[in-house]
Structures are given as C-alpha cells and as structure tokens.
Amino acid sequence: MEEQDIGLVYTLDEALTSLGFGKFQYLVLCYAGLGSMAEAFEIMILSFIGPVLRLEWELSPTQESLITTVVFAGMLIGCYYWGFITDNYGRRNGLLSVAIVTAAPAALTTFCPNYIWFLALRIMVGFGVGGGYVYGSWLLEFIPPQSRGMWMIIYYAFWSIGTILEALLAMVIMPTLGWRWLLALSSIPSFAALFLYIFTVESPRYLCAKGRISDAHDILRKIAIVNKTELPPGILVTDQVTDLNEELLSPGENKTSSFKSGFSSLLMLLSPSLRRNTLLIWVVFIGNTFSYYGIILLTSQFSSAQSRHSSISLYIHNDQSLYRDVLITSVAEIPGLLISAIMVEKGGRKFTMALMYIFCILFLLPLLMPRLHEALTTTLLFGARMLITANFDISNVYCREIYPTTVRSTGIGVASSMGRIGAMISPIIAVQLVRSSHQMAAIIVFEAVLVLSATCVLLFPIETKGRKLIDTLVV
C-alpha cells in the first residue's frame, strides 16, 4: 500500500472533503458561534442602556446618541485592524486578541463612575467587537467546500440567538437589578470565548498559505482522529493557482505577490485582479448595514408613536411590552436564516442575494403609502428584516470565499469596516426623516440603496458556490 502511495498528492480541499464535517467541525462551529453570540450581546445591549443612562446621568439627546456612535466608531477601526493581525500573525492570535480586548473593557464598564469613562470603555469594546468576523473566517477554513455555504449560515444563526438571549436577559435584569448587572452578565460570552481559547487550533489553510505544510498536516491528522476518518493517500500540497485565480487575473500575469503589512494587504484588495470585487463588495456591505439597522429603527418608529430616544438600535422604554417588541423583532431573523441556509447551496450566492433584495424592495414598497394599518406595517417591516438578514449572512459568506487566504481576514475586515458607514448614516434617514413627517422620502432612500446593492450583486463576476478556496493570489 505504501509503495502505491509514492508520488500521490492531495490538496487541502481534497483533505477536508475526505475528512468530512464531523465532531471536530462541530466543536469549531460551537466556539466560533460563541464568539458571534458575544458580539451580538455587546451590540444589542445598546438598545437598552441608552435611555436608562440618559435619566440617571441627565444626558442630552446628543450625549445619549454618542453612546452608540462611539461603539460603531471603534468597530470601524477594529474591523480593519483585526484583519491585518489575523492575516499576518495567524487566526489563533487573532481569536485570542479579540477575546481579550472585548471581554476586559466590557466587564470594566460595569464599574463606570461617569459618562466619560463609559464612552472610553465602550469604544474599546467596539474595537474588540470589530474583530467578531475573525471567528467566521477561522471556521470557514475548516469546512469542506461542498457544504461551506450552509454551515456558514448556521454559524450566523448564533448571532440571532445572541440577540434573542440579550433581549430576554434585559427583560429580567433591567427592571430588577439595573443596567450595571446587565452589562456584567452580558460580558459572560466574551469571557467564555477567552477561557475556551486553549482548545482552539490554527487554521490549516493559513498554515499552508504561509508554507508551513508540515504543521498543516499535523492539524489535519488531528481532525481525522477526532472525526474517525482518514486522510487521502499521498502527501499534502498547496495550490498556487486555481480556477478562481484564472478567472480573476488578466492574461500573462504570473508573478506571485505576498504582502506583509496592513497597507500592502489593502493594496492587494485594490489590485487589478481584485479591485472590481472589492469595490462591489464594499457597496453591498454599506447597503446591507444601512438597510439592516435602518429597518430596525423604522420598526420602532412605526410601532411606537411615543418614542423619544434615538439610537442605532430599537427605542426602549421602561415597559415590558417594549422589551417584547425587541424580542419579537429579533425572532424575525430566524426564518431569514432558514431561507438563506436552504437557498445558498441550491440557488448559489449571487442569485439568492439578488432574489432577497428584490423581495425586500417589494416588502418596503407599500410603506410609501401613509397611515397603513399597524399590523400590516409591522408585518412588512418584519418581512423586510427577515430578508435583509438572509442577504447580510450570504454576503458575508461570499466575501470570505472570494478572497485568497493571505488576505481573507483583511478583505472581510475592510468590508465590515466600510459597512459601519451605513450603520452610522441609517439613523439620519430612519429617524430624522420619519420624525419630520417625511416617511415617503425615507422609504424611497431605502429602496434606492437596495436597488443599488442588488445591481452590485449582479455585477459580481464569479459565483463561489462549490468552488475551492484559494490560498495565494498570482498577479
């Protein structure tokens, strides 16, 4: 048998296909999902503490809004920074750093004596949470190509679960123990991710991209043992050029480039071979975050005529019915996840995203008419959130698949960072225009953004469904 194996080779994708999706991948999924839940807790908590702090510390509306703004500002910076760290120093180092930077200031916020300290610590939390996508990039590199899309959508379900759990936690804690206890308990997932870090392993795809073939093979052997499967016969080799490279590159370009610095990685994203995808992805991410957070705000504006507090999330009053509104809105994401999980592998990434945009546009269209029945308005907005959630998740899968391993985290990081611009702009449209009795103008803006995003999706040159992930880019 050994003599027959002489001269045989296999690639990383062939190895992962042979190993299958087994116990090892389930453990990786659970850890990555825990990181996603930690991110959801720290973002969703903004929905509850702003109004309470406004009363306790006598904040102005601008000061209250700044509580949310600083978090997204920290995320905008962190999204790019953590991509640079994980692409240059390893996925495990990125996981550890993100967990530390998120957990420590999140817990310390509980003891904040005043508003300034609160802002300083929350911007640090935002900086850490900005690296939440690192968990997904790490998970992606352990999944066989034939089921990659479905399992990544399942991973995104942890975010929705996190938003639901945070809403339930707020319903119980806020009326009794107050906001400091809510902050303390909400940091538990971040600390759990930090403590469980010791059980993680480096991505074999990252190791292969760095030329550490022997180390990658050792990880694959561990996966085979845990999954009770076997590696293909032969020796592990890496692909330097794949079909995806050939579609992205211009003829005659064959010089392999390796970028070590963050600036160089950004230049790679904007290189001739990747520029079109990068710019289109940036527009899609801005459109998705603008629409996602905007729809949340629209839901609150239309469902609560007495709303007086503005933030990037839903308006929360000291009333159990309003906590339930947040919970119900979060549950609306579950069918979106189910739709995307089914469609992403059957219909492909591009077709599914375009289809979700079209239906989202149709759901928002009736809102151009004023004074719709409250139940109909709520149904339309919940349907829109369901669809934009599905699109959000699929675009994250596509973005990770389109970039080579050497800049994968930088690619998704910069795209996520660009997306925060949409999150910062959406309150201006969803809150200010609606409050100023310009509902039709607000809906037209949302429809225009969705149309632009759908157009960008259709212009993506490559469908990544079932394709092998690439490790290096030849330019």
Side-chain angles (χ1 to χ4, degrees), residues 259-332:
F259 296 93
K260 299 298 182 182
S261 70
F263 183 70
S264 296
S265 296
L266 181 58
L267 289 180
M268 178 182 275
L269 298 181
L270 296 173
S271 63
S273 53
L274 290 176
R275 184 185 302 128
R276 178 181 176 183
N277 282 295
T278 294
L279 295 178
L280 290 173
I281 286 171
W282 287 356
V283 175
V284 168
F285 268 63
I286 292 173
N288 282 345
T289 54
F290 176 88
S291 303
Y292 177 81
Y293 291 108
I295 288 171
I296 293 176
L297 288 167
L298 286 175
T299 302
S300 178
Q301 285 291 319
F302 292 154
S303 64
S304 179
Q306 298 178 351
S307 287
R308 295 175 298 174
H309 309 292
S310 64
S311 89
I312 196 68
S313 303
L314 292 173
Y315 310 129
I316 307 301
H317 303 276
N318 294 320
D319 187 282
Q320 285 294 311
S321 64
L322 291 169
Y323 286 116
R324 287 197 300 270
D325 287 344
V326 180
L327 177 61
I328 294 171
T329 304
S330 299
V331 170

Side-chain angles (χ1 to χ4, degrees), residues 152-183:
M152 286 303 295
I153 296 300
I154 292 175
Y155 156 72
Y156 292 126
F158 283 88
W159 166 276
S160 296
I161 293 172
T163 63
I164 294 170
L165 292 178
E166 180 66 17
L168 290 171
L169 187 64
M171 290 178 66
V172 175
I173 299 300
M174 288 291 283
T176 55
L177 300 177
W179 64 271
R180 293 185 186 273
W181 273 100
L182 180 63
L183 283 169

Side-chain angles (χ1 to χ4, degrees), residues 306-383:
Q306 298 178 351
S307 287
R308 295 175 298 174
H309 309 292
S310 64
S311 89
I312 196 68
S313 303
L314 292 173
Y315 310 129
I316 307 301
H317 303 276
N318 294 320
D319 187 282
Q320 285 294 311
S321 64
L322 291 169
Y323 286 116
R324 287 197 300 270
D325 287 344
V326 180
L327 177 61
I328 294 171
T329 304
S330 299
V331 170
E333 297 188 8
I334 301 300
L337 289 165
L338 294 175
I339 291 172
S340 55
I342 295 171
M343 292 289 295
V344 70
E345 294 296 355
K346 293 184 179 296
R349 283 45 159 170
K350 290 179 57 178
F351 172 79
T352 302
M353 283 191 283
L355 189 64
M356 295 299 102
Y357 278 128
I358 292 172
F359 279 109
C360 190
I361 291 169
L362 293 177
F363 267 93
L364 291 180
L365 198 59
L367 296 177
L368 289 171
M369 296 181 292
R371 291 186 289 275
L372 288 177
H373 191 278
E374 182 179 352
L376 177 58
T377 299
T378 301
T379 300
L380 292 170
L381 287 169
F382 275 34

Side-chain angles (χ1 to χ4, degrees), residues 91-166:
R91 308 309 194 221
R92 285 196 80 224
N93 286 331
L95 294 174
L96 176 61
S97 302
V98 167
I100 292 174
V101 176
T102 302
L108 289 174
T109 310
T110 305
F111 307 101
C112 276
N114 55 50
Y115 176 71
I116 299 301
W117 272 102
F118 189 91
L119 290 184
L121 287 172
R122 292 317 289 182
I123 196 171
M124 292 177 63
V125 172
F127 180 72
V129 169
Y133 63 86
V134 173
Y135 293 96
S137 296
W138 177 68
L139 167 65
L140 178 76
E141 296 175 356
F142 288 96
I143 303 177
Q146 65 272 16
S147 57
R148 199 165 53 218
M150 182 190 69
W151 284 109
M152 286 303 295
I153 296 300
I154 292 175
Y155 156 72
Y156 292 126
F158 283 88
W159 166 276
S160 296
I161 293 172
T163 63
I164 294 170
L165 292 178
E166 180 66 17

